[in-house]
């Protein structure tokens, strides 16, 4: 099972290898793309969902069920919503991208709700604002948990230290601000390990509360010898 899948192979060449590396990284880790049973999407921005397509447009994970948050699907697939943002080039492109990426594969798509165990051991957590259906995840095994924060924030040096700042990529900035406080209050209280897709390497750590702000304490990392 894979949570989000990056920009996709089509972006690899145009970015000179900066993005679109998911399939290459999986292969380097010994994971065959055909063995992926589920691709679980946190939201439908291009850097998280376009990777379901290979560079030639075929399915990158041909045997996988694609699971998407129902609220995000309904938002991005709405003609009325798309019509409202025609003057906003970024949002206009986002709407067009979702429709292009998912064209013809609706039968592979399963829509999930918040607060449910979407696959064994993984529960979806409401984290709206970045997009209307933006979702975080709790991965549980025994007494251990990991919080996948998705894009609750992308740059912790900015938005953990300043959780009331807004970023242009958030569809509803005020709601995203509320979500940041709620999510990081939970993470700090539970002393949970948090994974951020846009965090600097090693991309995971613990969040500590610092007054009205927060800070990320990255995990210690050592190469395997």
């Amino acid at each position: 099972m894979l949570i989000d899948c990056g920009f996709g192979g089509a972006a690899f060449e145009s970015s000179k290898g900066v993005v679109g590396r998911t399939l290459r990284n999986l292969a380097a880790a010994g994971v065959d793309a055909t063995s992926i049973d589920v691709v679980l999407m946190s939201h439908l921005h291009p850097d998280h969902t376009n990777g379901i397509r290979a560079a030639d447009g075929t399915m990158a994970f041909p045997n996988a069920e694609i699971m998407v948050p129902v609220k995000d699907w309904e938002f991005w697939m709405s003609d009325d919503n798309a019509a409202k943002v025609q003057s906003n080039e970024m949002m206009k492109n986002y709407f067009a991208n979702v429709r292009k990426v998912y064209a013809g594969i609706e039968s592979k798509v399963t829509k999930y709700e918040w607060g449910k165990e979407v696959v064994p051991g993984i529960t979806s957590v409401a984290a709206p604002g970045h997009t209307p259906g933006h979702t975080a995840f709790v991965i549980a095994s025994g007494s251990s948990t990991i919080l996948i924060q998705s894009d609750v924030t992308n740059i912790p040096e900015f938005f953990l230290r300043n959780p009331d700042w807004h970023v242009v990529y958030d569809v509803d900035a005020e709601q995203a601000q509320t979500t940041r406080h709620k999510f990081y209050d939970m993470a700090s209280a539970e002393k949970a390990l948090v994974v951020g897709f846009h965090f600097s390497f090693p991309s995971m750590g613990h969040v500590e509360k610092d007054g009205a702000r927060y800070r990320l304490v990255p995990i210690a990392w050592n190469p395997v010898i």
Side-chain angles (χ1 to χ4, degrees), residues 92-121:
K92 179 181 174 181
N93 289 338
Y94 280 171
F95 274 94
N97 179 77
V98 171
R99 293 159 188 244
K100 178 181 177 182
V101 168
Y102 285 90
I105 61 168
E106 290 85 352
S107 63
K108 286 181 169 285
V109 174
T110 300
K111 304 167 192 71
Y112 67 82
E113 304 276 357
W114 288 329
K116 307 285 187 182
E117 189 177 52
V118 289
V119 297

PDB file of all heavy atoms in Angstrom, residues 92-121:
ATOM      1  N   LYS A  92      -7.454  27.081 -11.652  1.00  0.00           N
ATOM      2  CA  LYS A  92      -7.971  26.603 -12.931  1.00  0.00           C
ATOM      3  C   LYS A  92      -7.177  25.385 -13.406  1.00  0.00           C
ATOM      4  O   LYS A  92      -7.749  24.376 -13.847  1.00  0.00           O
ATOM      5  CB  LYS A  92      -7.894  27.735 -13.956  1.00  0.00           C
ATOM      6  CG  LYS A  92      -8.376  27.371 -15.345  1.00  0.00           C
ATOM      7  CD  LYS A  92      -8.224  28.572 -16.272  1.00  0.00           C
ATOM      8  CE  LYS A  92      -8.559  28.225 -17.706  1.00  0.00           C
ATOM      9  NZ  LYS A  92      -8.391  29.403 -18.605  1.00  0.00           N
ATOM     10  N   ASN A  93      -5.861  25.464 -13.276  1.00  0.00           N
ATOM     11  CA  ASN A  93      -5.014  24.349 -13.690  1.00  0.00           C
ATOM     12  C   ASN A  93      -5.195  23.130 -12.792  1.00  0.00           C
ATOM     13  O   ASN A  93      -5.145  21.986 -13.260  1.00  0.00           O
ATOM     14  CB  ASN A  93      -3.548  24.779 -13.694  1.00  0.00           C
ATOM     15  CG  ASN A  93      -3.219  25.741 -14.818  1.00  0.00           C
ATOM     16  OD1 ASN A  93      -3.923  25.792 -15.821  1.00  0.00           O
ATOM     17  ND2 ASN A  93      -2.164  26.527 -14.646  1.00  0.00           N
ATOM     18  N   TYR A  94      -5.405  23.365 -11.498  1.00  0.00           N
ATOM     19  CA  TYR A  94      -5.631  22.251 -10.578  1.00  0.00           C
ATOM     20  C   TYR A  94      -6.890  21.472 -10.956  1.00  0.00           C
ATOM     21  O   TYR A  94      -6.891  20.235 -10.976  1.00  0.00           O
ATOM     22  CB  TYR A  94      -5.778  22.768  -9.147  1.00  0.00           C
ATOM     23  CG  TYR A  94      -4.483  23.088  -8.427  1.00  0.00           C
ATOM     24  CD1 TYR A  94      -4.511  23.741  -7.196  1.00  0.00           C
ATOM     25  CD2 TYR A  94      -3.256  22.731  -8.945  1.00  0.00           C
ATOM     26  CE1 TYR A  94      -3.341  24.039  -6.519  1.00  0.00           C
ATOM     27  CE2 TYR A  94      -2.080  23.020  -8.282  1.00  0.00           C
ATOM     28  CZ  TYR A  94      -2.127  23.683  -7.062  1.00  0.00           C
ATOM     29  OH  TYR A  94      -0.978  23.972  -6.386  1.00  0.00           O
ATOM     30  N   PHE A  95      -7.969  22.191 -11.239  1.00  0.00           N
ATOM     31  CA  PHE A  95      -9.207  21.517 -11.636  1.00  0.00           C
ATOM     32  C   PHE A  95      -9.004  20.706 -12.914  1.00  0.00           C
ATOM     33  O   PHE A  95      -9.420  19.551 -13.006  1.00  0.00           O
ATOM     34  CB  PHE A  95     -10.331  22.540 -11.838  1.00  0.00           C
ATOM     35  CG  PHE A  95     -11.073  22.886 -10.583  1.00  0.00           C
ATOM     36  CD1 PHE A  95     -10.692  23.984  -9.825  1.00  0.00           C
ATOM     37  CD2 PHE A  95     -12.145  22.127 -10.143  1.00  0.00           C
ATOM     38  CE1 PHE A  95     -11.370  24.314  -8.656  1.00  0.00           C
ATOM     39  CE2 PHE A  95     -12.828  22.446  -8.976  1.00  0.00           C
ATOM     40  CZ  PHE A  95     -12.438  23.550  -8.221  1.00  0.00           C
ATOM     41  N   ALA A  96      -8.351  21.322 -13.907  1.00  0.00           N
ATOM     42  CA  ALA A  96      -8.123  20.626 -15.176  1.00  0.00           C
ATOM     43  C   ALA A  96      -7.238  19.402 -14.980  1.00  0.00           C
ATOM     44  O   ALA A  96      -7.448  18.354 -15.614  1.00  0.00           O
ATOM     45  CB  ALA A  96      -7.493  21.587 -16.180  1.00  0.00           C
ATOM     46  N   ASN A  97      -6.264  19.510 -14.090  1.00  0.00           N
ATOM     47  CA  ASN A  97      -5.330  18.410 -13.873  1.00  0.00           C
ATOM     48  C   ASN A  97      -6.027  17.184 -13.289  1.00  0.00           C
ATOM     49  O   ASN A  97      -5.802  16.057 -13.743  1.00  0.00           O
ATOM     50  CB  ASN A  97      -4.216  18.861 -12.935  1.00  0.00           C
ATOM     51  CG  ASN A  97      -3.219  17.756 -12.660  1.00  0.00           C
ATOM     52  OD1 ASN A  97      -2.365  17.436 -13.483  1.00  0.00           O
ATOM     53  ND2 ASN A  97      -3.316  17.142 -11.487  1.00  0.00           N
ATOM     54  N   VAL A  98      -6.874  17.401 -12.280  1.00  0.00           N
ATOM     55  CA  VAL A  98      -7.569  16.260 -11.661  1.00  0.00           C
ATOM     56  C   VAL A  98      -8.395  15.510 -12.699  1.00  0.00           C
ATOM     57  O   VAL A  98      -8.375  14.277 -12.775  1.00  0.00           O
ATOM     58  CB  VAL A  98      -8.461  16.726 -10.494  1.00  0.00           C
ATOM     59  CG1 VAL A  98      -9.339  15.581  -9.991  1.00  0.00           C
ATOM     60  CG2 VAL A  98      -7.598  17.264  -9.350  1.00  0.00           C
ATOM     61  N   ARG A  99      -9.103  16.262 -13.522  1.00  0.00           N
ATOM     62  CA  ARG A  99      -9.951  15.619 -14.527  1.00  0.00           C
ATOM     63  C   ARG A  99      -9.128  14.862 -15.563  1.00  0.00           C
ATOM     64  O   ARG A  99      -9.513  13.776 -16.021  1.00  0.00           O
ATOM     65  CB  ARG A  99     -10.832  16.673 -15.197  1.00  0.00           C
ATOM     66  CG  ARG A  99     -11.853  17.253 -14.222  1.00  0.00           C
ATOM     67  CD  ARG A  99     -12.382  18.608 -14.679  1.00  0.00           C
ATOM     68  NE  ARG A  99     -13.202  19.205 -13.638  1.00  0.00           N
ATOM     69  CZ  ARG A  99     -14.498  19.470 -13.752  1.00  0.00           C
ATOM     70  NH1 ARG A  99     -15.131  19.197 -14.870  1.00  0.00           N
ATOM     71  NH2 ARG A  99     -15.159  20.012 -12.753  1.00  0.00           N
ATOM     72  N   LYS A 100      -7.979  15.421 -15.926  1.00  0.00           N
ATOM     73  CA  LYS A 100      -7.116  14.752 -16.902  1.00  0.00           C
ATOM     74  C   LYS A 100      -6.523  13.465 -16.321  1.00  0.00           C
ATOM     75  O   LYS A 100      -6.526  12.408 -16.975  1.00  0.00           O
ATOM     76  CB  LYS A 100      -5.980  15.696 -17.313  1.00  0.00           C
ATOM     77  CG  LYS A 100      -4.993  15.086 -18.291  1.00  0.00           C
ATOM     78  CD  LYS A 100      -3.884  16.079 -18.640  1.00  0.00           C
ATOM     79  CE  LYS A 100      -2.851  15.443 -19.569  1.00  0.00           C
ATOM     80  NZ  LYS A 100      -1.751  16.391 -19.883  1.00  0.00           N
ATOM     81  N   VAL A 101      -6.016  13.536 -15.102  1.00  0.00           N
ATOM     82  CA  VAL A 101      -5.351  12.384 -14.498  1.00  0.00           C
ATOM     83  C   VAL A 101      -6.320  11.230 -14.280  1.00  0.00           C
ATOM     84  O   VAL A 101      -5.971  10.055 -14.483  1.00  0.00           O
ATOM     85  CB  VAL A 101      -4.693  12.801 -13.157  1.00  0.00           C
ATOM     86  CG1 VAL A 101      -4.238  11.580 -12.364  1.00  0.00           C
ATOM     87  CG2 VAL A 101      -3.498  13.717 -13.424  1.00  0.00           C
ATOM     88  N   TYR A 102      -7.575  11.548 -13.918  1.00  0.00           N
ATOM     89  CA  TYR A 102      -8.534  10.497 -13.583  1.00  0.00           C
ATOM     90  C   TYR A 102      -9.460  10.119 -14.731  1.00  0.00           C
ATOM     91  O   TYR A 102     -10.323   9.253 -14.565  1.00  0.00           O
ATOM     92  CB  TYR A 102      -9.348  10.906 -12.353  1.00  0.00           C
ATOM     93  CG  TYR A 102      -8.535  10.772 -11.075  1.00  0.00           C
ATOM     94  CD1 TYR A 102      -7.784  11.833 -10.602  1.00  0.00           C
ATOM     95  CD2 TYR A 102      -8.492   9.572 -10.387  1.00  0.00           C
ATOM     96  CE1 TYR A 102      -7.023  11.711  -9.455  1.00  0.00           C
ATOM     97  CE2 TYR A 102      -7.742   9.432  -9.239  1.00  0.00           C
ATOM     98  CZ  TYR A 102      -6.998  10.505  -8.779  1.00  0.00           C
ATOM     99  OH  TYR A 102      -6.239  10.364  -7.647  1.00  0.00           O
ATOM    100  N   ALA A 103      -9.262  10.740 -15.876  1.00  0.00           N
ATOM    101  CA  ALA A 103     -10.129  10.441 -17.016  1.00  0.00           C
ATOM    102  C   ALA A 103     -10.042   8.967 -17.402  1.00  0.00           C
ATOM    103  O   ALA A 103      -8.958   8.414 -17.610  1.00  0.00           O
ATOM    104  CB  ALA A 103      -9.735  11.307 -18.213  1.00  0.00           C
ATOM    105  N   GLY A 104     -11.191   8.321 -17.462  1.00  0.00           N
ATOM    106  CA  GLY A 104     -11.268   6.951 -17.930  1.00  0.00           C
ATOM    107  C   GLY A 104     -10.930   5.885 -16.912  1.00  0.00           C
ATOM    108  O   GLY A 104     -10.948   4.687 -17.242  1.00  0.00           O
ATOM    109  N   ILE A 105     -10.612   6.266 -15.677  1.00  0.00           N
ATOM    110  CA  ILE A 105     -10.236   5.246 -14.683  1.00  0.00           C
ATOM    111  C   ILE A 105     -11.143   5.299 -13.455  1.00  0.00           C
ATOM    112  O   ILE A 105     -10.781   4.802 -12.387  1.00  0.00           O
ATOM    113  CB  ILE A 105      -8.763   5.389 -14.249  1.00  0.00           C
ATOM    114  CG1 ILE A 105      -8.516   6.754 -13.593  1.00  0.00           C
ATOM    115  CG2 ILE A 105      -7.828   5.162 -15.425  1.00  0.00           C
ATOM    116  CD1 ILE A 105      -7.168   6.831 -12.887  1.00  0.00           C
ATOM    117  N   GLU A 106     -12.318   5.885 -13.617  1.00  0.00           N
ATOM    118  CA  GLU A 106     -13.224   6.022 -12.476  1.00  0.00           C
ATOM    119  C   GLU A 106     -13.543   4.680 -11.824  1.00  0.00           C
ATOM    120  O   GLU A 106     -13.786   4.605 -10.614  1.00  0.00           O
ATOM    121  CB  GLU A 106     -14.518   6.706 -12.908  1.00  0.00           C
ATOM    122  CG  GLU A 106     -14.371   8.184 -13.256  1.00  0.00           C
ATOM    123  CD  GLU A 106     -13.934   8.413 -14.700  1.00  0.00           C
ATOM    124  OE1 GLU A 106     -13.600   7.412 -15.382  1.00  0.00           O
ATOM    125  OE2 GLU A 106     -13.930   9.576 -15.146  1.00  0.00           O
ATOM    126  N   SER A 107     -13.516   3.604 -12.609  1.00  0.00           N
ATOM    127  CA  SER A 107     -13.847   2.279 -12.057  1.00  0.00           C
ATOM    128  C   SER A 107     -12.803   1.798 -11.066  1.00  0.00           C
ATOM    129  O   SER A 107     -13.070   0.895 -10.253  1.00  0.00           O
ATOM    130  CB  SER A 107     -13.991   1.253 -13.186  1.00  0.00           C
ATOM    131  OG  SER A 107     -12.761   1.095 -13.888  1.00  0.00           O
ATOM    132  N   LYS A 108     -11.600   2.352 -11.119  1.00  0.00           N
ATOM    133  CA  LYS A 108     -10.535   1.973 -10.192  1.00  0.00           C
ATOM    134  C   LYS A 108     -10.582   2.781  -8.899  1.00  0.00           C
ATOM    135  O   LYS A 108      -9.820   2.510  -7.966  1.00  0.00           O
ATOM    136  CB  LYS A 108      -9.157   2.174 -10.845  1.00  0.00           C
ATOM    137  CG  LYS A 108      -8.790   1.142 -11.906  1.00  0.00           C
ATOM    138  CD  LYS A 108      -7.404   1.431 -12.448  1.00  0.00           C
ATOM    139  CE  LYS A 108      -6.883   0.275 -13.310  1.00  0.00           C
ATOM    140  NZ  LYS A 108      -6.462  -0.879 -12.492  1.00  0.00           N
ATOM    141  N   VAL A 109     -11.441   3.811  -8.869  1.00  0.00           N
ATOM    142  CA  VAL A 109     -11.431   4.768  -7.766  1.00  0.00           C
ATOM    143  C   VAL A 109     -12.470   4.388  -6.714  1.00  0.00           C
ATOM    144  O   VAL A 109     -13.636   4.145  -7.020  1.00  0.00           O
ATOM    145  CB  VAL A 109     -11.718   6.199  -8.281  1.00  0.00           C
ATOM    146  CG1 VAL A 109     -11.853   7.178  -7.124  1.00  0.00           C
ATOM    147  CG2 VAL A 109     -10.614   6.647  -9.238  1.00  0.00           C
ATOM    148  N   THR A 110     -12.020   4.351  -5.459  1.00  0.00           N
ATOM    149  CA  THR A 110     -12.900   4.179  -4.309  1.00  0.00           C
ATOM    150  C   THR A 110     -12.820   5.445  -3.467  1.00  0.00           C
ATOM    151  O   THR A 110     -11.725   5.933  -3.189  1.00  0.00           O
ATOM    152  CB  THR A 110     -12.475   2.975  -3.450  1.00  0.00           C
ATOM    153  OG1 THR A 110     -12.530   1.791  -4.238  1.00  0.00           O
ATOM    154  CG2 THR A 110     -13.374   2.831  -2.235  1.00  0.00           C
ATOM    155  N   LYS A 111     -13.972   5.969  -3.068  1.00  0.00           N
ATOM    156  CA  LYS A 111     -14.011   7.199  -2.276  1.00  0.00           C
ATOM    157  C   LYS A 111     -14.211   6.846  -0.802  1.00  0.00           C
ATOM    158  O   LYS A 111     -15.073   6.049  -0.466  1.00  0.00           O
ATOM    159  CB  LYS A 111     -15.129   8.103  -2.781  1.00  0.00           C
ATOM    160  CG  LYS A 111     -14.992   8.425  -4.271  1.00  0.00           C
ATOM    161  CD  LYS A 111     -16.261   9.058  -4.823  1.00  0.00           C
ATOM    162  CE  LYS A 111     -16.219   9.101  -6.342  1.00  0.00           C
ATOM    163  NZ  LYS A 111     -16.349   7.774  -6.962  1.00  0.00           N
ATOM    164  N   TYR A 112     -13.393   7.434   0.052  1.00  0.00           N
ATOM    165  CA  TYR A 112     -13.468   7.123   1.477  1.00  0.00           C
ATOM    166  C   TYR A 112     -13.873   8.343   2.303  1.00  0.00           C
ATOM    167  O   TYR A 112     -13.691   9.480   1.892  1.00  0.00           O
ATOM    168  CB  TYR A 112     -12.140   6.542   1.989  1.00  0.00           C
ATOM    169  CG  TYR A 112     -10.964   7.507   1.982  1.00  0.00           C
ATOM    170  CD1 TYR A 112     -10.778   8.428   3.020  1.00  0.00           C
ATOM    171  CD2 TYR A 112     -10.023   7.497   0.957  1.00  0.00           C
ATOM    172  CE1 TYR A 112      -9.699   9.309   3.026  1.00  0.00           C
ATOM    173  CE2 TYR A 112      -8.947   8.364   0.952  1.00  0.00           C
ATOM    174  CZ  TYR A 112      -8.790   9.273   1.983  1.00  0.00           C
ATOM    175  OH  TYR A 112      -7.733  10.146   1.988  1.00  0.00           O
ATOM    176  N   GLU A 113     -14.415   8.068   3.469  1.00  0.00           N
ATOM    177  CA  GLU A 113     -14.844   9.098   4.417  1.00  0.00           C
ATOM    178  C   GLU A 113     -13.765   9.294   5.484  1.00  0.00           C
ATOM    179  O   GLU A 113     -12.891   8.445   5.677  1.00  0.00           O
ATOM    180  CB  GLU A 113     -16.161   8.686   5.091  1.00  0.00           C
ATOM    181  CG  GLU A 113     -17.296   8.380   4.127  1.00  0.00           C
ATOM    182  CD  GLU A 113     -18.044   9.621   3.695  1.00  0.00           C
ATOM    183  OE1 GLU A 113     -17.721  10.718   4.185  1.00  0.00           O
ATOM    184  OE2 GLU A 113     -18.959   9.479   2.854  1.00  0.00           O
ATOM    185  N   TRP A 114     -13.877  10.393   6.219  1.00  0.00           N
ATOM    186  CA  TRP A 114     -12.995  10.638   7.360  1.00  0.00           C
ATOM    187  C   TRP A 114     -13.423   9.799   8.561  1.00  0.00           C
ATOM    188  O   TRP A 114     -14.579   9.403   8.691  1.00  0.00           O
ATOM    189  CB  TRP A 114     -13.036  12.108   7.747  1.00  0.00           C
ATOM    190  CG  TRP A 114     -12.344  13.010   6.777  1.00  0.00           C
ATOM    191  CD1 TRP A 114     -11.267  12.728   6.004  1.00  0.00           C
ATOM    192  CD2 TRP A 114     -12.689  14.369   6.484  1.00  0.00           C
ATOM    193  NE1 TRP A 114     -10.910  13.816   5.245  1.00  0.00           N
ATOM    194  CE2 TRP A 114     -11.766  14.833   5.522  1.00  0.00           C
ATOM    195  CE3 TRP A 114     -13.680  15.237   6.936  1.00  0.00           C
ATOM    196  CZ2 TRP A 114     -11.812  16.142   5.011  1.00  0.00           C
ATOM    197  CZ3 TRP A 114     -13.718  16.528   6.437  1.00  0.00           C
ATOM    198  CH2 TRP A 114     -12.792  16.974   5.483  1.00  0.00           C
ATOM    199  N   GLY A 115     -12.463   9.547   9.454  1.00  0.00           N
ATOM    200  CA  GLY A 115     -12.762   8.842  10.686  1.00  0.00           C
ATOM    201  C   GLY A 115     -12.994   7.363  10.512  1.00  0.00           C
ATOM    202  O   GLY A 115     -13.569   6.715  11.383  1.00  0.00           O
ATOM    203  N   LYS A 116     -12.542   6.813   9.395  1.00  0.00           N
ATOM    204  CA  LYS A 116     -12.730   5.398   9.101  1.00  0.00           C
ATOM    205  C   LYS A 116     -11.362   4.705   8.981  1.00  0.00           C
ATOM    206  O   LYS A 116     -10.367   5.322   8.601  1.00  0.00           O
ATOM    207  CB  LYS A 116     -13.482   5.203   7.782  1.00  0.00           C
ATOM    208  CG  LYS A 116     -14.795   5.960   7.673  1.00  0.00           C
ATOM    209  CD  LYS A 116     -15.884   5.339   8.489  1.00  0.00           C
ATOM    210  CE  LYS A 116     -17.220   6.029   8.219  1.00  0.00           C
ATOM    211  NZ  LYS A 116     -18.299   5.456   9.055  1.00  0.00           N
ATOM    212  N   GLU A 117     -11.352   3.410   9.289  1.00  0.00           N
ATOM    213  CA  GLU A 117     -10.170   2.607   8.987  1.00  0.00           C
ATOM    214  C   GLU A 117     -10.235   2.275   7.499  1.00  0.00           C
ATOM    215  O   GLU A 117     -10.984   1.402   7.076  1.00  0.00           O
ATOM    216  CB  GLU A 117     -10.139   1.339   9.839  1.00  0.00           C
ATOM    217  CG  GLU A 117      -8.823   0.585   9.714  1.00  0.00           C
ATOM    218  CD  GLU A 117      -8.749  -0.632  10.614  1.00  0.00           C
ATOM    219  OE1 GLU A 117      -9.692  -1.458  10.555  1.00  0.00           O
ATOM    220  OE2 GLU A 117      -7.759  -0.773  11.346  1.00  0.00           O
ATOM    221  N   VAL A 118      -9.450   2.999   6.712  1.00  0.00           N
ATOM    222  CA  VAL A 118      -9.579   2.898   5.253  1.00  0.00           C
ATOM    223  C   VAL A 118      -8.907   1.643   4.703  1.00  0.00           C
ATOM    224  O   VAL A 118      -9.348   1.083   3.697  1.00  0.00           O
ATOM    225  CB  VAL A 118      -9.039   4.162   4.559  1.00  0.00           C
ATOM    226  CG1 VAL A 118      -9.976   5.335   4.808  1.00  0.00           C
ATOM    227  CG2 VAL A 118      -7.631   4.514   5.028  1.00  0.00           C
ATOM    228  N   VAL A 119      -7.831   1.230   5.328  1.00  0.00           N
ATOM    229  CA  VAL A 119      -7.227  -0.082   5.110  1.00  0.00           C
ATOM    230  C   VAL A 119      -6.797  -0.566   6.487  1.00  0.00           C
ATOM    231  O   VAL A 119      -6.694   0.234   7.419  1.00  0.00           O
ATOM    232  CB  VAL A 119      -6.018  -0.037   4.132  1.00  0.00           C
ATOM    233  CG1 VAL A 119      -6.452   0.415   2.757  1.00  0.00           C
ATOM    234  CG2 VAL A 119      -4.910   0.844   4.658  1.00  0.00           C
ATOM    235  N   PRO A 120      -6.564  -1.855   6.679  1.00  0.00           N
ATOM    236  CA  PRO A 120      -6.235  -2.339   8.012  1.00  0.00           C
ATOM    237  C   PRO A 120      -5.054  -1.597   8.638  1.00  0.00           C
ATOM    238  O   PRO A 120      -3.979  -1.500   8.047  1.00  0.00           O
ATOM    239  CB  PRO A 120      -5.899  -3.819   7.762  1.00  0.00           C
ATOM    240  CG  PRO A 120      -6.723  -4.182   6.577  1.00  0.00           C
ATOM    241  CD  PRO A 120      -6.706  -2.959   5.704  1.00  0.00           C
ATOM    242  N   GLY A 121      -5.304  -1.018   9.823  1.00  0.00           N
ATOM    243  CA  GLY A 121      -4.251  -0.320  10.553  1.00  0.00           C
ATOM    244  C   GLY A 121      -4.097   1.146  10.220  1.00  0.00           C
ATOM    245  O   GLY A 121      -3.289   1.834  10.842  1.00  0.00           O
TER     246      GLY A 121
END
